[in-house]
């Protein structure tokens, strides 16, 4: 497990708004699901709008907040310019909203929203890279942060090019550029970031120590290679090269999951709290996503592809993030608000800072919604998909309530 130090962590008032807005965006994206059908194309503007609402508003917002906290903690150096996060938050939030409205209502808005997001992410990436240069540590987590931020820059530049293409300001092959953009952002940034966070957070919260890191090192090399191969293949229009990249991705994810299995065998903590259940469910849905993606390459069925991506986004990525929110947020609030009071007055325990019943309701409604939605997409069932949206929206309400309670302790 990588060492953790709190000496260089930024103040809670800087980090908390990222979690607050991220959960609001999650709530809105789950509400929006109620207005979609289980049959669609990823090139539809309304579908693209929902994907950006979910990925930019929820996933990126939460990851940016978490990385603002964890990068200096893991690297044991302070941020170069920590105050830039006060600028990143409004740029990312406003840019996400403008882009979603651009997709849904007025394509001419896309370059403006894309530019705001581009500026926010460039500031984030360059500040992280500058902070990385300060550290003398050379760990896998450091390498993961470096590569993921490089792919983030690549992904957002291609995304901005797509926005210009959709608005008619740039003549590009949008279909090919879209594949490059998706793989750079999802595979290159989100997946690599999750892999890096896994090596720090999962052992820390499960109390697992002394494990071998060979599997995750292989996973890391395979995933960064696969993203590069798919990106080049997409830009050049070489399907065969992209297939090689996909194969490398599958092998890399296998090694990553093998690493998680090694950690799980060594875990000391056996309590199935909302974090543990969320992580278990996340990896179950990751397995489902992989199986369905293999079936898609054999059958070329669009419904299978939709279900596979659904389980990846709403199952694995979403539950990995949500589960960790129930650990990270109480810890950050407790450390800043209550740690100085230990021994002087009674302070709450971490698990007392949110409603276990509310968290449990959130988990069961959300997990049921993910499963129903996946099968609704697979079988193109409107009833199942609408039921999934209702369950997920209900779960998101309880997530918002429990998160608001946790953050209220720090006020």
């Amino acid at each position: 497990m990588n060492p953790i130090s709190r000496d260089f962590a930024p103040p809670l008032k800087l980090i908390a708004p990222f979690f607050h807005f991220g959960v609001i965006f999650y709530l809105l994206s789950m509400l929006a699901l109620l207005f979609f059908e289980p049959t669609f194309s990823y090139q539809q503007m309304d579908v693209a709008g929902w994907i950006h609402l979910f990925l930019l508003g929820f996933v990126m917002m939460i990851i940016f907040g978490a990385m603002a906290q964890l990068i200096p903690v893991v690297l044991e150096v302070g941020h170069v310019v920590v105050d830039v996060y006060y600028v990143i938050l409004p740029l990312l939030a406003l840019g996400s909203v403008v882009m979603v409205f651009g997709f849904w209502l007025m394509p001419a808005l896309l370059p403006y929203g894309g530019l705001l997001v581009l500026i926010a992410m460039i500031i984030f990436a360059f500040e992280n890279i500058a902070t990385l240069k300060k550290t003398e540590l050379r760990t896998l987590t450091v390498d993961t942060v470096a590569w993921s931020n490089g792919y983030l820059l690549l992904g957002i530049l291609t995304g901005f090019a797509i926005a210009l293409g959709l608005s008619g300001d740039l003549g590009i092959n949008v279909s090919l550029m879209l594949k490059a953009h998706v793989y750079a952002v999802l595979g290159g940034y989100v997946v690599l970031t999750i892999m890096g966070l896994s090596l720090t957070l999962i052992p820390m919260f499960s109390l697992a120590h002394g494990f071998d890191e060979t599997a995750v090192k292989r996973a890391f090399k395979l995933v960064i290679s696969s993203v590069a191969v798919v990106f080049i293949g997409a830009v050049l229009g070489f399907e065969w090269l992209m297939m090689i990249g996909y194969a490398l991705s599958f092998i890399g994810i296998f090694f990553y999951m093998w690493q998680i299995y090694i950690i799980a065998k060594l875990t000391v903590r056996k309590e199935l709290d909302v974090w543990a259940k969320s992580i278990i469910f996340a990896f179950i849905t990751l397995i489902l996503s992989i199986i369905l993606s293999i079936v898609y390459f054999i059958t070329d069925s669009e419904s299978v592809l939709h279900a596979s991506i659904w389980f990846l986004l709403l199952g694995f990525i979403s539950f990995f993030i949500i589960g960790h929110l129930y650990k990270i947020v109480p810890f950050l609030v407790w450390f800043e608000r209550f740690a100085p009071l230990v021994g002087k007055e009674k302070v709450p325990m971490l698990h007392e800072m949110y409603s276990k019943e509310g968290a449990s309701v959130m988990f069961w409604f959300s997990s049921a919604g993910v499963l129903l939605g996946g099968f609704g997409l697979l079988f193109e069932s409107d009833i199942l998909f609408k039921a999934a949206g209702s369950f997920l929206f209900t779960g998101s309400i309880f997530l918002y309530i429990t998160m608001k309670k946790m953050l209220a302790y720090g006020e």
Side-chain angles (χ1 to χ4, degrees):
M1 183 176 73
N2 295 318
I4 297 292
S5 167
R6 281 281 302 162
D7 296 339
F8 303 98
L12 180 63
K13 66 178 181 178
L14 181 68
I15 306 302
F18 283 89
F19 298 138
H20 180 73
F21 279 98
V23 170
I24 291 176
F25 275 110
Y26 179 77
L27 179 70
L28 293 174
S29 60
M30 295 306 103
L31 174 62
L33 279 176
L34 297 172
F35 302 95
F36 284 88
E37 305 293 331
T39 54
F40 58 88
S41 165
Y42 284 113
Q43 295 193 22
Q44 288 178 214
M45 295 291 278
D46 57 343
V47 173
W50 183 88
I51 291 174
H52 284 79
L53 175 65
F54 177 79
L55 287 178
L56 290 178
F58 168 60
V59 175
M60 289 300 187
M61 188 72 73
I62 298 294
I63 288 180
F64 279 19
M67 295 305 285
Q69 178 71 30
L70 290 172
I71 284 178
V73 169
V74 173
L75 302 185
E76 299 183 5
V77 294
H79 278 286
V80 172
V81 189
V82 71
D83 287 344
V84 296
Y85 284 89
Y86 289 114
V87 177
I88 292 172
L89 176 68
L91 285 174
L92 180 59
L94 180 59
S96 300
V97 171
V98 173
M99 283 200 74
V100 171
F101 275 102
F103 280 114
W104 285 352
L105 300 173
M106 190 184 299
L109 290 174
L110 286 173
Y112 301 101
L115 181 61
L116 292 174
V117 172
L118 177 68
I119 294 171
M121 291 190 173
I122 287 177
I123 294 172
F124 173 82
F126 276 103
E127 201 283 330
N128 281 347
I129 292 169
T131 301
L132 277 172
K133 289 184 177 180
K134 290 176 60 179
T135 185
E136 297 180 357
L137 297 177
R138 287 296 174 263
T139 65
L140 183 63
T141 302
V142 174
D143 291 338
T144 301
V145 172
W147 275 96
S148 64
N149 278 277
Y151 279 129
L152 176 64
L153 286 173
L154 200 59
I156 58 179
L157 288 173
T158 53
F160 186 62
I162 292 170
L164 291 174
L166 290 173
S167 64
D169 296 323
L170 183 65
I172 60 170
N173 188 322
V174 173
S175 178
L176 288 177
M177 195 62 69
L178 179 61
K179 293 178 181 179
H181 169 65
V182 168
Y183 227 79
V185 173
L186 271 183
Y189 182 71
V190 176
V191 172
L192 279 177
T193 298
I194 287 177
M195 286 173 61
L197 291 177
S198 297
L199 205 59
T200 297
L201 297 178
I202 291 180
M204 180 173 68
F205 293 137
S206 63
L207 305 180
H209 305 279
F211 54 86
D212 182 67
E213 296 183 1
T214 302
V216 76
K217 289 178 180 177
R218 290 175 180 170
F220 170 68
K221 292 177 182 178
L222 285 164
V223 171
I224 62 172
S225 300
S226 71
V227 174
V229 170
V230 172
F231 188 90
I232 293 171
V235 171
L236 298 179
F238 294 156
E239 274 302 324
W240 61 269
L241 191 58
M242 294 175 66
M243 294 299 290
I244 293 174
Y246 296 147
L248 292 174
S249 295
F250 287 137
I251 300 171
I253 295 300
F254 168 78
F255 278 110
Y256 166 62
M257 294 179 67
W258 182 252
Q259 181 69 66
I260 298 301
Y261 173 71
I262 292 172
I263 295 172
K265 287 199 304 180
L266 296 174
T267 183
V268 175
R269 182 173 182 158
K270 303 298 182 182
E271 180 189 359
L272 281 179
D273 57 8
V274 66
W275 172 79
K277 288 188 289 188
S278 296
I279 298 304
I280 291 170
F281 185 77
F283 281 98
I284 289 173
T285 53
L286 178 59
I287 293 171
L288 287 174
S289 177
I290 292 172
I291 293 172
L292 288 169
S293 63
I294 294 172
V295 173
Y296 166 70
F297 284 117
I298 297 172
T299 64
D300 201 31
S301 170
E302 288 294 318
S303 63
V304 173
L305 174 64
H306 295 166
S308 174
I309 295 176
W310 171 274
F311 282 126
L312 176 65
L313 296 181
L314 277 297
F316 175 63
I317 293 176
S318 182
F319 270 79
F320 186 91
I321 290 173
I322 290 172
H324 279 95
L325 284 176
Y326 283 95
K327 289 291 189 182
I328 294 173
V329 175
F331 174 75
L332 296 179
V333 173
W334 187 92
F335 192 90
E336 182 162 312
R337 174 72 174 80
F338 298 108
L341 303 177
V342 173
K344 301 176 183 178
E345 60 182 72
K346 185 179 180 180
V347 298
M349 301 291 287
L350 293 179
H351 64 83
E352 295 173 342
M353 296 176 64
Y354 65 87
S355 166
K356 287 187 177 180
E357 293 78 12
S360 181
V361 171
M362 180 285 303
F363 173 80
W364 291 113
F365 269 93
S366 298
S367 57
V370 170
L371 294 174
L372 286 171
F375 287 113
L377 290 170
L378 186 60
F379 300 112
E380 298 184 344
S381 169
D382 190 61
I383 294 175
L384 286 178
F385 193 72
K386 288 293 190 292
S390 300
F391 274 77
L392 284 164
F393 179 55
T394 303
S396 69
I397 292 173
F398 281 92
L399 173 63
Y400 175 79
I401 293 171
T402 51
M403 185 60 54
K404 189 174 182 179
K405 179 181 178 181
M406 287 187 278
L407 292 174
Y409 276 96
E411 296 175 353

